Amino acid sequence: MAQLSVTTGDLSRLTTLVRSSDLEETQEIISHAYSPYQLDCLGDPDEFSAWYAESGFPGITVSGLSYGRRGGRAETLIRPQPLGSYLLVCEVTHGRVTVSSPGREEYRVGPGETYVLDPYRGFQVHWSPGARMFTVRLDREVVERAAADSLGVDGPVRARFALGKAISPQAARSWSTISGAVRQEVLGDGVARTNPLVATQLTQATASLLVATQPLITRGVHARRGGTVSHAALRRAMKLIEEHPDHPHTLTDLATAARVSPRALQEAFRAHLDTTPLGYLREVRLRHAHQDLLTAASDRSATVSDIAHHWGFSNLGRFAAQYRQRYGHPPSETLTG
């Protein structure tokens, strides 16, 4: 697997919950943070140490975790119970770990490599001395809706992930990019911390990329086409978008309102409007951003950044490019009159 970036950012942005050499204290605190687990020091217990810290925004929690000290001899074994309500995407930044699902799979992971722990399996993780990782935590329901959208079923589906690397080097790079963006939002005081719309969109994008890049297992579920969608269903989805453009809509939400499957709604938007449901939502928000810029041009009530972030455009460069393509000039020109 290609080595990915292991840049960690400013760790002071994470809230430290454990920095301890006490095994029982560590087990108790991290059991509450994740799920109940058994913790064993394999070697001299005087060499045991642990660090755990976390932070995030609504929808995603980023954590840092390490056991032992680099150059030491004490290894660590953890055996958590199944996670249940969420998934963990784990990226090793220092040292090595061996993760296994007893009697099924085993995967050795080094710096820059990633693995996924789904909510359903039992597993154990063997840590080399001083190994460290970052994790991205996503709610199970968010990921399983993304899996249903990907398969074109009404969902959600019971999504499980094989232990092992991403499905391709390109997929690994794509995951590394979104993981880096999430980490930057958390460690770099990003707008997702204070803007629910941006937080929801970034969470959904992260879940969708997880499903698209990691080895997904969905036994008994097969993609299917949605069939012909009536104009009434299309109008229902459009009406919801037009009336509530500031709501953090998902494809599943829009399909539910239209009373069709997500795949069928996507096909209807492409056939009749030459776009996607979320593309149409983005166009409506762009139109509202344009109106807000015109208002701000007369009363100086907001900046381009304020307006872009309000309408869920977290990447200002991308917002400016889309605005220029739609209106023929950059948003700053509208603001300055």
Side-chain angles (χ1 to χ4, degrees), residues 104-221:
R104 297 176 61 191
E105 298 176 277
E106 182 173 289
Y107 182 42
R108 288 180 56 81
V109 190
E113 296 179 329
T114 300
Y115 63 94
V116 182
L117 297 175
D118 67 38
Y120 303 108
R121 72 170 71 238
F123 61 91
Q124 65 180 29
V125 185
H126 190 153
W127 295 64
S128 68
R132 173 175 288 189
M133 70 172 62
F134 274 88
T135 69
V136 174
R137 184 189 312 181
L138 289 160
D139 287 345
R140 182 189 70 200
E141 291 183 358
V142 173
V143 174
E144 296 191 339
R145 284 199 301 269
D149 290 347
S150 174
L151 293 168
V153 300
D154 293 336
V157 300
R158 183 182 172 95
R160 304 189 63 188
F161 292 84
L163 290 177
K165 60 185 179 180
I167 60 175
S168 70
Q170 294 82 1
R173 287 192 290 273
S174 292
W175 174 257
S176 181
T177 299
I178 194 73
S179 177
V182 166
R183 201 174 301 170
Q184 184 177 7
E185 287 295 302
V186 173
L187 301 179
D189 201 20
V191 296
R193 285 174 168 270
T194 57
N195 188 312
L197 189 58
V198 172
T200 298
Q201 290 184 325
L202 185 52
T203 299
Q204 292 166 355
T206 303
S208 295
L209 262 176
L210 176 66
V211 168
T213 60
Q214 307 302 314
L216 178 67
I217 303 170
T218 52
R219 293 189 177 92
V221 177

Side-chain angles (χ1 to χ4, degrees), residues 291-302 307 332-337:
Q291 291 301 319
D292 286 355
L293 285 166
L294 291 173
T295 300
S298 60
D299 60 19
R300 296 294 187 265
S301 57
I307 293 169
S332 57
E333 188 173 315
T334 301
L335 188 61
T336 57

Side-chain angles (χ1 to χ4, degrees), residues 8 11 14 62-64 89-91 93 132-136 183:
T8 56
L11 300 185
L14 297 177
V62 171
S63 303
V89 190
C90 308
E91 179 186 339
T93 61
R132 173 175 288 189
M133 70 172 62
F134 274 88
T135 69
V136 174
R183 201 174 301 170

